[in-house]
Amino acid sequence: MATGALLLVCALLVGVAVAQRVVTVQDGPLIRTEGSHVTIWCNVTGYKEGLEQDFEWSVYLPSVPDREIRIVSTAQPNYAYAIYAQRVNSKEIYVERLSRDSAMLHITKAQAKDQGLFECYTPNTDGRYLGSYSARTNLTVIADSLTVTAPAQTLSKVEGDTLQLTCEVSRTTMQHTHLSVGWYLRSPEDASASPQELVTLSRDFVLRSGGPYRQRMAAGDLRLDKTSATAYRLTIHKLQPVDQGLLYCQAAEWIQDADGSWFAMTRKQSDKTQLRIQPTDRDFSIQVSTERRSFTAGESLELRCTIEAQNVPERFFSVSWVFSSSPVAVVGPSAVPLLGPDYVAREAAGQMTVRKESPNVHLLKLQHLHPEDAGKYICRVTEREKTPTGDFIDRSKRSRNVQITVQSLKSNITVTLSTNSSEVLEGDAIQLTCSVHAATGPLSVVWLWTDKQATGPAQEVASVDRDGTVWHSPSYKERASYGEIRVEKVRSDSFTLSVYNALPGDEGQYRCTVTEWLQTGTGLELNWEKIGEKSATKTATVKTVESSFMVSASSRTPSINFGDSFDLLCLVKPRHNPRVPTSVTWRFMPAGSDADGTEEVEFKELVTFTREGTLQWGEQLLGLGTRTTVDRSHSNTNFRLSVTRAGRREAGKYQCTAILWRKNYDSSWSRVANRTSNLLGISVLQPESKLRVHKTNQSQVYLEDSRVRINCSISSQTSQYSQHAVLWYVRRATGSESDELLLRIERSGAFEYGAYADEERLRRRVQAERLSPRLFVLTLNKAENSDSGTYYCLVEEWLRDPEGAWYQLAQDSSGFTQVLVRQPEVRLQVEEMDSNVTVEESDAIRLGCSIPSQSSRDSRFSVSWYVEREDEDDDEDQPGGEGRKRECVFSIGHDAVFGNGNCSPREGVGPNSRLQFGRMTSDQYSLTIQEARPTDAGRYYCHVEEWLLNPRNAWYRLTTNNSGFTTVNVVQQESTIQSVVCSNTSLFYFIFFYPFPIFGILLIAVLLVRYKSRNNSKSQEGKNGAPLLWIKEPHLSYSPTCLDPPALSLHPGSVD
């Protein structure tokens, strides 16, 4: 046992001896937001006890991960690099020492550039190095995207009200974070006091409330609801005075660090809401009111009991009505009345009403007052309130006495009779109202009629007895059965008589006789007593509609253009009456018809508005059927005929006719009157032309075989739907009798050539184009000189009328284009430099002809060479002058045929000709005369003719030109052996040709002899070993000319 303890002590000593320093920092990565307060702790262990440790902080930025940037140190005051020095000096970055071996780095306001790898280093204090002296953690700084918004407002509430506030909280952080949202209340009196937490939704989605509000949240009076992804709504029911203050919403964004702990990266508050709460007063007062306190028997009494208190709808009141210490009715909080025993039958008879008009107003109404209803009325109100212990207490109050007096009944009624109008139109309604004033009992009414002069007996129309039953007299009973006579009891004191579809016979005096009744007795012994009678009279006049029946027609546009619209209005007076309707017919007579005084016959019906309000189309539709609309006003006084896209067929005379109808009470119809309007003449004209063609005069010059383009541009047109026909004319010369039609382009695009195009063979060369709707181009291909003249276009504008037919509206011509087609400008130039050439006899004479300039690139040339020689007796030095004779040496035509030029040479062209022609390029010609002779001496020049192909593929000569003179001198040679030999062909062949065949034959003979002797001596040659001499035929070369003698040459390999 002692040995084990000893071993344990030794092990502990060894462990102390080998203890190592360990530096630890907060685990990363740490994700923080910009502007937040960042803290990173650093601890060191395993150091020598008793010594305080120092801490040095550095960072390695992502941009330079290998470079250490010092930030702050507990030991060195000037430890920071310049990039952090200012922030360290301003205490924005500092180190807080937590203990001797623990410290914490503070960055009070993190910036995006602070992101990097932070290192905590502890200098060695042990005298030897063992363990780790630094540790690192990664800090990531992200943008602060948390937003908390709530409107700043001031609210005034009453104690017991409900408050709802909404807060919008959102963030766009890419990392996984949680939100906590809470509502807080700050006291307005003490701004330094800590805010009171109302309710908070934590980051773990747990709902909690502050201490004073827990009970209210448990009771459901305090709620926090998340109504959308970003909206959080606070609800407080039954507001209390302690809820007054500044309300705001606070949200925090949390992130979980690597060690599992949660860190609030950012917190933000919304704008504050000022809440004011008015305390409620639990006291109440009562007031009873009535319009008057003195009544007559039979009238109605209304008493209203008004409760004056705060928050009445949420309090529980019961109201009791008392009359002379006898209960009348009790109305509890449920508004259900409980009647007293003396009033049950009265309420069942409808003579009593007890109800709750509003939360604070109660009504007691007694109808048909009796004298025994006089006395004192009071209202007693009781409030039942629940205490916090759950018990109920009642508080009651009573109103002051209201003294009511009821006098015995005396009839004081007055009757007035009024009408809707003293004069009504036939077919309208006569409405009479009989109003009774100061009535206390039931009323009966009798309606009477007499004529306007009141000469005849009065006729009863109808009557209404006191219980409201209506009776019609026999003379009006049939009309009443069809609803034309109606008697109503609108109110107890108001009666009406309505005579619908008034006839002229309804005109007269109407009398309303009112009788007032009083019910006497009770129970089964009820009696009615007549207590008064009054009458009133009113005269009603019925105006016949025929007297004011008028029809007129009008139009604002008597003259229109093709395609326009016009409206015709038929005005019918008087206003429409359903009982006396009108039928209106529009009639039409086309323009050009001969009326001959029988207009009524000539007119045809277009459309009729029947008296039932339907449309009936007539036989004369023409083009109007699909382009005509008809309508009428709500009052049926204006009947409009609208025609759109009018054409020729719509021109003419229009009129409307109206027939007045009366509907009888048995639904049959009677024709009352017929009226015809004035005539309306409508003219439909062609629209005014707006065609304009550019009239700029111009001159154009073209070369033959080029393309001539002439534009015809339309600057304006009448309508966007206009189409154009274009005629092209040409005027050959000034003063010509008429212009020639070259080409016509129809509006459909078809071409039609004029006679001039056929005469001048232009059909194949003329081309017409339409580059745009308003631009036409005439093109003459391969222009000729005969195409010169004055050109212009004539534009015809065509439009389609509403019937679809095309018509020519206008025409306009363009400006004149003077076209001149000419031949190319003469630019032919031939080298004119003079020269002297001296050659020996039998040499070659080379003559050149250079054309440095030509009129056209398509030009072709006819070239001839002439020589001038002087006569023996004339020394004149003028080409072609007197005493000189000119001779054609050589010619070639523009068609490249020899001798087809402008002269015929004396010496023909052939194999034996001494002339050699050459054309190095299109503008370089040469003539070589072989074997010059003394007779070839003279002055040479070339004559050039320039030819062009006209558009009709015929060649014509444009111009000619001569070159300068080349004076040729031929020097004669003396006779030599060479010249003699060369001059004699037989001698030349005898000397230079025949010896070679003979020499060849001899050489072959020698070789044959030697070959034979070699065969005979093969053995000897084999013995001696000496090679034979082999001679090959020598290579001979000679020239067939007389200038170079034949040459014999031996080439390598000729002799073996």
Side-chain angles (χ1 to χ4, degrees), residues 12 166 240 287 294 301 318 342 383 505 507 529 555 614 761 800 830 849 877 879 900 914 919 961 1040 1055:
L12 292 175
T166 301
Q240 300 178 9
Q287 183 178 0
S294 178
L301 168 65
S318 60
D342 297 337
E383 179 185 12
E507 183 179 87
E529 179 183 353
S555 174
T614 60
R761 298 192 298 276
R800 189 196 296 267
V830 183
C849 185
D877 194 19
N900 199 21
R914 294 186 302 127
R919 180 181 179 185
N961 202 349
V1055 180

Side-chain angles (χ1 to χ4, degrees), residues 759-820:
E759 293 175 3
E760 297 297 326
R761 298 192 298 276
L762 291 174
R763 186 183 291 265
R764 294 184 179 180
R765 294 191 295 111
V766 70
Q767 177 183 353
E769 297 177 273
R770 182 182 181 183
L771 300 183
S772 68
R774 296 190 181 187
L775 180 60
F776 298 84
V777 176
L778 177 69
T779 304
L780 296 177
N781 297 311
K782 296 186 176 181
E784 301 177 3
N785 183 264
S786 60
D787 296 333
S788 298
T790 301
Y791 292 81
Y792 66 94
C793 69
L794 180 66
V795 179
E796 298 177 353
E797 185 177 25
W798 291 76
L799 285 175
R800 189 196 296 267
D801 64 14
E803 284 80 17
W806 289 94
Y807 66 92
Q808 180 180 341
L809 177 62
Q811 65 181 16
D812 193 14
S813 61
S814 68
F816 296 104
T817 300
Q818 182 72 32
V819 176
L820 175 62

Side-chain angles (χ1 to χ4, degrees), residues 625-860:
T626 58
R627 293 179 283 106
T628 303
T629 58
V630 289
D631 60 74
R632 62 184 178 183
S633 62
H634 294 292
S635 60
N636 286 347
T637 58
N638 296 337
F639 298 82
R640 185 173 60 184
L641 174 67
S642 300
V643 180
T644 60
R645 300 184 63 245
R648 293 184 178 90
R649 299 176 64 183
E650 285 72 53
K653 297 179 180 179
Y654 294 80
Q655 75 174 184
C656 67
T657 61
I659 301 176
L660 189 65
W661 300 85
R662 177 188 295 124
K663 186 176 183 180
N664 303 319
Y665 61 84
D666 58 355
S667 297
S668 62
W669 291 94
S670 301
R671 185 168 177 173
V672 179
N674 185 9
R675 297 288 188 272
T676 301
S677 72
N678 54 297
L679 294 179
L680 294 178
I682 300 298
S683 301
V684 183
L685 308 176
Q686 294 182 357
E688 182 180 355
S689 176
K690 298 180 181 179
L691 177 66
R692 297 293 183 272
V693 183
H694 284 292
K695 297 183 179 296
T696 303
N697 296 329
Q698 56 183 339
S699 297
Q700 299 179 359
V701 180
Y702 297 92
L703 295 178
E704 279 191 334
D705 203 31
S706 60
R707 177 179 296 177
V708 178
R709 291 175 64 89
I710 305 172
N711 293 336
C712 180
S713 178
I714 301 173
S715 58
S716 64
Q717 60 187 23
T718 306
S719 170
Q720 60 177 339
Y721 304 106
S722 298
Q723 294 190 8
H724 306 95
V726 179
L727 291 81
W728 288 98
Y729 286 93
V730 59
R731 183 180 300 166
R732 293 300 303 270
T734 305
S736 60
E737 295 182 358
S738 62
D739 299 337
E740 301 288 346
L741 176 62
L742 182 62
L743 178 67
R744 176 184 177 92
I745 306 175
E746 300 291 346
R747 57 179 176 79
S748 60
F751 287 79
E752 181 181 349
Y753 292 94
Y756 178 76
D758 294 331
E759 293 175 3
E760 297 297 326
R761 298 192 298 276
L762 291 174
R763 186 183 291 265
R764 294 184 179 180
R765 294 191 295 111
V766 70
Q767 177 183 353
E769 297 177 273
R770 182 182 181 183
L771 300 183
S772 68
R774 296 190 181 187
L775 180 60
F776 298 84
V777 176
L778 177 69
T779 304
L780 296 177
N781 297 311
K782 296 186 176 181
E784 301 177 3
N785 183 264
S786 60
D787 296 333
S788 298
T790 301
Y791 292 81
Y792 66 94
C793 69
L794 180 66
V795 179
E796 298 177 353
E797 185 177 25
W798 291 76
L799 285 175
R800 189 196 296 267
D801 64 14
E803 284 80 17
W806 289 94
Y807 66 92
Q808 180 180 341
L809 177 62
Q811 65 181 16
D812 193 14
S813 61
S814 68
F816 296 104
T817 300
Q818 182 72 32
V819 176
L820 175 62
V821 182
R822 60 177 178 80
Q823 295 177 349
E825 182 181 356
V826 177
R827 297 179 180 177
L828 177 65
Q829 293 182 6
V830 183
E831 184 66 46
E832 297 180 355
M833 183 178 295
D834 296 338
S835 61
N836 293 317
V837 177
T838 301
V839 297
E840 294 182 357
E841 188 177 1
S842 298
D843 285 350
I845 302 173
R846 299 180 63 86
L847 303 174
C849 185
S850 177
I851 306 174
S853 175
Q854 60 189 45
S855 302
S856 172
R857 64 179 181 178
D858 298 325
S859 298
R860 292 189 181 181

